Amino acid sequence: MASIAGRGPNEPTSLTTTRLSACLVDSHDFSCTNIGMTGPSDAPKILIIVQNLPVPLDRRVWLECQALRDSGFDVSVICPQGPGDPKRHDVDGVALYKYAPAPEAEGLAGFAYEFAYSWIRTALLSLAVRREKGFDVIQACNPPDTYWLLGLLWKTRGVRFVFDHHDLNPELFLSRFGAPTTPLQHAELTVLRWLERCTFRTADHVISTNESFKKIAMERGGVAEEDVTVVRSGPDTRSMYPTRPDPEVRGDGSHLLAYLGIMGPQDGVESVLHLMEELVHARGRTSVRAVLLGFGDSLESLRDQCTQLGLDDYVTFTGRVGPTEIAKYLSAADVGLGPDPATPMNDLSTMNKTMEYMAFGLPSVAFDLKETRISGENSVLYVPPGDIGAFADAVERLLDDDELRAEMAVSGRRRAVSVLDWRPQRTAYLQAIQSVVSKRSLGTGEPAGEEVANELGVPTDDQSALATEEELRSAVRRRGFAGA
């Protein structure tokens, strides 16, 4: 199925390696060595399985790896290779075992081949990990919901199985293809539901990304409440924080809109282009610019559509970007964009981009989805799903009201630090793993980190950081003034 784990989308201890965002970071920013030396023999050992994205490109999984490593685990990961990745290497103390990814899937046969190929490659690599590193626990991250069988096989050898539930695959099917109308489509949906049910029933513990997912695990999967833990994909606000904006980022524009995330068929990024068409061509806001940070299956078609709409002078596609570029653009932008359409999948999914805009003190506009509203509260303006005119109205309202933008920026940063931050999520995650590990108590998983002693919870050693609410308000107002 389509790659949407980046909604997603968290920490190592250095700034260079921690500003991971929405599955956009190039894995070669990290310190790598060949696999060889193993950790202490008495350390608990975990194997994490990911098919959707390479690691450390997958932000959530990478944060989990760092939390486990810092709490004393030996951590191994099996995942597909990214461009230029070696098959086996060590990244910041995490052993990565990688296989060449399957060809891009097309149609039912293509997906079946991809899933079977990836499952077999993962199963074979799990034998190598067992021999070279060992593992007491397997954590499987979906999509797809196929690794329950591997977990079941290893459970006969005393291994515990944890399911990290990233995506609702039945809802993803309905979002992509609509309600089934043919016998084949009915069969496909039935298989997806069966695979999901088998995964829930095999798991010793389920990790859900939000309360909506937890409810499904309990009601649809029959999992007991005590065996489900909510671990949100929160940003690490010590490494994602607003800095003094770089005026060069805007170019010749007066205001800058920003989209951050994966660009797939289910992400609605074409709505950003329709928004810019409305603002620039219909409303005459020719000084507004938009930057789209990210990549995905739809990137090239979006670039073609941008040209067809006459927006090449107003819209910039960056492609894959690293943490430095993300911080630079989001600190300079005026409004973040959440164009995710209302679908069965999106309505129940936590959007990483929303929380990351908040971490950078960037007010945003989004289509009104259940979990987006839970994450954003009053740091987001919500508009009816699919209504581009209402979206444009909300964007203009923010562009024309510096005080509203400043208030939403501060509100968003406060909420990101106090409620959505990864650190309390890390504690919940480690407690979930502890529930299936009997060897010894885990540590806190807290790295040394940077000293934080200011209103907005940013490192005190970064002179470019906006460390107080008044500094953030002032920076937001100046952006608007500069563009007048």
Side-chain angles (χ1 to χ4, degrees):
M1 291 298 177
S3 296
I4 58 175
R7 298 178 179 280
N10 4 143
E11 214 84 359
T13 56
S14 70
L15 284 176
T16 302
T17 60
T18 55
R19 290 180 185 164
L20 303 176
S21 184
C23 303
L24 301 175
V25 180
D26 190 327
S27 64
H28 300 290
D29 288 343
F30 298 83
S31 174
C32 303
T33 60
N34 290 329
I35 291 175
M37 188 170 60
T38 61
S41 60
D42 64 340
K45 298 174 174 61
I46 188 167
L47 168 61
I48 299 179
I49 295 172
V50 188
Q51 182 180 317
N52 202 36
L53 284 170
V55 174
L57 192 61
D58 189 311
R59 181 174 68 88
R60 175 186 173 90
V61 173
W62 186 241
L63 281 176
E64 292 172 342
C65 289
Q66 302 310 298
L68 291 165
R69 180 207 62 188
D70 293 335
S71 69
F73 260 92
D74 280 351
V75 186
S76 303
V77 177
I78 297 175
C79 64
Q81 288 175 289
D85 286 353
K87 290 184 177 180
R88 300 190 188 186
H89 58 133
D90 186 290
V91 179
D92 292 349
V94 177
L96 304 181
Y97 292 73
K98 300 187 176 184
Y99 57 89
E104 185 173 338
E106 294 185 7
L108 177 60
F111 282 120
Y113 174 79
E114 176 187 349
F115 292 168
Y117 167 86
S118 299
W119 194 96
I120 292 170
R121 294 299 302 269
T122 297
L124 292 174
L125 282 175
S126 74
L127 296 173
V129 177
R130 181 73 164 190
R131 181 176 63 253
E132 297 172 10
K133 307 285 288 186
F135 51 85
D136 310 299
V137 179
I138 288 178
Q139 174 184 313
C141 310
N142 80 333
D145 293 329
T146 55
Y147 290 102
W148 62 270
L149 179 57
L150 186 59
L152 192 63
L153 293 172
W154 278 112
K155 286 180 77 169
T156 65
R157 305 299 298 272
V159 174
R160 309 300 296 278
F161 180 67
V162 174
F163 176 39
D164 192 4
H165 193 192
H166 293 185
D167 288 330
L168 298 167
N169 286 317
E171 280 75 10
L172 176 57
F173 177 92
L174 295 171
S175 299
R176 292 288 297 271
F177 307 111
T181 58
T182 67
L184 178 59
Q185 290 176 333
H186 280 285
E188 291 172 352
L189 183 57
T190 298
V191 169
L192 289 175
R193 288 172 172 162
W194 177 76
L195 290 171
E196 180 189 70
R197 187 164 58 253
C198 289
T199 304
F200 282 133
R201 292 182 177 180
T202 303
D204 295 294
H205 201 88
V206 174
I207 297 172
S208 300
T209 56
N210 58 42
E211 292 292 339
S212 296
F213 278 43
K214 178 180 178 179
K215 183 178 180 181
I216 285 174
M218 294 170 59
E219 294 182 355
R220 203 159 75 195
V223 183
E225 184 172 10
E226 62 268 23
D227 293 327
V228 186
T229 300
V230 173
V231 179
R232 299 177 69 89
S233 298
D236 184 342
T237 58
R238 294 191 198 183
S239 60
M240 291 180 173
Y241 52 84
T243 58
R244 290 178 176 82
D246 179 356
E248 298 298 321
V249 171
R250 294 171 179 265
D252 59 354
S254 66
H255 290 104
L256 182 64
L257 314 181
Y259 170 85
L260 172 66
I262 297 295
M263 300 179 185
Q266 69 283 333
D267 297 304
V269 188
E270 66 277 0
S271 291
V272 174
L273 300 181
H274 294 309
L275 168 67
M276 287 299 291
E277 181 185 28
E278 173 70 17
L279 291 172
V280 173
H281 296 322
R283 305 192 184 192
R285 305 284 298 230
T286 56
S287 62
V288 175
R289 301 289 182 268
V291 59
L292 280 65
L293 305 152
F295 65 100
D297 296 341
S298 299
L299 177 57
E300 292 309 315
S301 63
L302 288 166
R303 283 176 166 153
D304 292 341
Q305 185 179 7
C306 182
T307 299
Q308 294 167 8
L309 294 174
L311 294 171
D312 286 344
D313 292 336
Y314 306 96
V315 177
T316 298
F317 293 88
T318 66
R320 180 179 294 181
V321 290
T324 301
E325 290 81 4
I326 290 169
K328 179 176 70 173
Y329 279 109
L330 295 190
S331 292
D334 297 287
V335 180
L337 304 175
D340 306 272
T343 66
M345 176 72 189
N346 288 346
D347 200 45
L348 299 178
S349 296
T350 299
M351 302 301 173
N352 281 349
K353 66 176 74 68
T354 301
M355 296 185 289
E356 289 162 356
Y357 296 151
M358 295 163 68
F360 282 100
L362 179 62
S364 63
V365 178
F367 289 131
D368 194 358
L369 305 178
K370 176 182 177 180
E371 284 292 334
T372 299
R373 186 175 283 273
I374 290 173
S375 297
E377 288 198 342
N378 60 357
S379 65
V380 180
L381 294 183
Y382 305 96
V383 299
D387 191 336
I388 297 299
F391 207 117
D393 290 342
V395 168
E396 286 195 305
R397 179 185 173 195
L398 282 174
L399 295 183
D400 295 338
D401 191 336
D402 294 346
E403 292 303 321
L404 176 61
R405 285 205 322 279
E407 184 59 36
M408 290 175 65
V410 170
S411 174
R413 176 64 189 179
R414 283 177 184 161
R415 179 166 172 76
V417 171
S418 63
V419 178
L420 302 176
D421 186 81
W422 168 247
R423 287 187 298 281
Q425 306 307 316
R426 172 172 48 204
T427 300
Y429 172 68
L430 290 173
Q431 289 173 346
I433 298 301
Q434 175 69 78
S435 71
V436 299
V437 175
S438 58
K439 277 197 170 183
R440 63 178 178 83
S441 297
L442 302 181
T444 63
E446 284 282 359
E450 301 86 359
E451 182 180 355
V452 175
N454 47 59
E455 290 180 87
L456 296 183
V458 302
T460 57
D461 59 353
D462 187 348
Q463 298 303 309
S464 69
L466 301 174
T468 69
E469 292 183 3
E470 187 49 45
E471 285 181 351
L472 178 56
R473 291 178 191 274
S474 179
V476 171
R477 293 189 194 105
R478 281 201 303 271
R479 293 177 207 165
F481 177 78

